[in-house]
Amino acid sequence: MANWNERFKDKKYVYGTEPNVFLKDMYTALSGEVLTIAEGEGRNAVFLARQGLNVTAWDYAESGLEKVSKLAAKQGVRVSTELVDLAEAEWQQNQWDGIVNVFGHFPGEVRKKTLSGVKEAVRPGGYFIAEVYSHNQIPYQSGGPKELDFLYRPEDFLEEFSDWRIVHFFLGEVIRNEGELHNGLSHVIQFVGQKPQ
């Protein structure tokens, strides 16, 4: 945790201030109350707030959440922020119309708990949108964790959300240029799922 707090203390936005490209393509599925998890410095939460959504951002780095609020103020929108460690998160049933995870990476047990929490917390008819690094990312050197346990496999999504309507699923290469830390050819998983009504 300390290293993220340190990383985000820099005035510079290490992942930039522009939203993730995949989220920009897919956000129109979202409405109402949206939660972004492992939000970092706020680029995606602020983008969604600019589209008129009520956005709450969770992260466990206080310095990141401070930057979320600054970016929101600068762009004339409001994002609620909550200091949440996903290892200890309390997920409320049917709380959110949509949940977004862009490059939020956690150890295997926390990942499992988080995806299961997401499944509970999305309201019927709501959506979960994710773009994350796949287990094939390590040799790519374009960003993301260097430990396999922090990377996603297709079955993480396809098994947990097997009873949802899968709107979009992709495993493969994309180019990402997001600030200093995500640059170049990357191997990702993209997922958009809708909870049954």
Side-chain angles (χ1 to χ4, degrees), residues 5-24:
N5 238 331
E6 287 307 310
R7 182 175 283 178
F8 293 149
K9 272 184 181 159
D10 194 331
K11 277 198 173 76
K12 199 185 295 173
Y13 281 72
V14 294
Y15 296 106
T17 56
E18 290 303 307
N20 169 261
V21 174
F22 177 65
L23 180 62
K24 212 171 167 182

Side-chain angles (χ1 to χ4, degrees), residues 2 17 21 23 30 51 55 59 62 100 146 158 183 187 191:
T17 56
V21 174
L23 180 62
L30 299 169
Q51 314 312 312
V55 185
D59 202 277
E62 224 162 327
V100 172
K146 299 293 172 230
L158 299 177
N183 273 299
H187 206 283
F191 177 85

Side-chain angles (χ1 to χ4, degrees), residues 56-70:
T56 298
W58 283 4
D59 202 277
Y60 72 3
E62 224 162 327
S63 59
L65 293 176
E66 284 165 17
K67 286 166 94 172
V68 174
S69 298
K70 275 184 193 154

Side-chain angles (χ1 to χ4, degrees), residues 23-107:
L23 180 62
K24 212 171 167 182
D25 286 345
M26 294 293 175
Y27 80 89
T28 53
L30 299 169
S31 62
E33 304 279 336
V34 176
L35 172 68
T36 63
I37 60 172
E39 174 56 26
E41 305 164 301
R43 64 198 177 98
N44 297 307
V46 168
F47 166 75
L48 294 172
R50 279 176 33 221
Q51 314 312 312
L53 298 163
N54 295 320
V55 185
T56 298
W58 283 4
D59 202 277
Y60 72 3
E62 224 162 327
S63 59
L65 293 176
E66 284 165 17
K67 286 166 94 172
V68 174
S69 298
K70 275 184 193 154
L71 186 62
K74 192 175 174 187
Q75 299 202 14
V77 293
R78 191 176 165 278
V79 172
S80 300
T81 59
E82 292 179 20
L83 192 66
V84 175
D85 181 346
L86 288 166
E88 293 158 18
E90 297 290 327
W91 295 93
Q92 307 296 325
Q93 195 164 16
N94 301 336
Q95 187 178 4
W96 307 98
D97 296 302
I99 296 180
V100 172
N101 174 12
V102 174
F103 297 120
H105 290 266
F106 334 103

Side-chain angles (χ1 to χ4, degrees), residues 20 22-23 25-31 33-39 48 53 56 58 86 91 95-106 110-133 152-170 189-196:
N20 169 261
F22 177 65
L23 180 62
D25 286 345
M26 294 293 175
Y27 80 89
T28 53
L30 299 169
S31 62
E33 304 279 336
V34 176
L35 172 68
T36 63
I37 60 172
E39 174 56 26
L48 294 172
L53 298 163
T56 298
W58 283 4
L86 288 166
W91 295 93
Q95 187 178 4
W96 307 98
D97 296 302
I99 296 180
V100 172
N101 174 12
V102 174
F103 297 120
H105 290 266
F106 334 103
V110 179
R111 181 170 64 251
K112 201 170 168 44
K113 180 181 188 287
T114 299
L115 292 175
S116 165
V118 165
K119 190 177 182 182
E120 282 294 299
V122 171
R123 291 177 183 141
Y127 288 85
F128 176 40
I129 297 178
E131 180 172 86
V132 291
Y133 288 116
Y152 291 76
R153 295 178 176 276
E155 53 270 28
D156 290 336
F157 294 95
L158 299 177
E159 287 174 9
E160 185 66 59
F161 298 96
S162 61
D163 54 345
W164 282 32
R165 183 171 79 93
I166 295 179
V167 177
H168 174 94
F169 183 84
F170 171 79
I189 292 175
Q190 298 171 343
F191 177 85
V192 180
Q194 183 183 30
K195 190 172 189 169

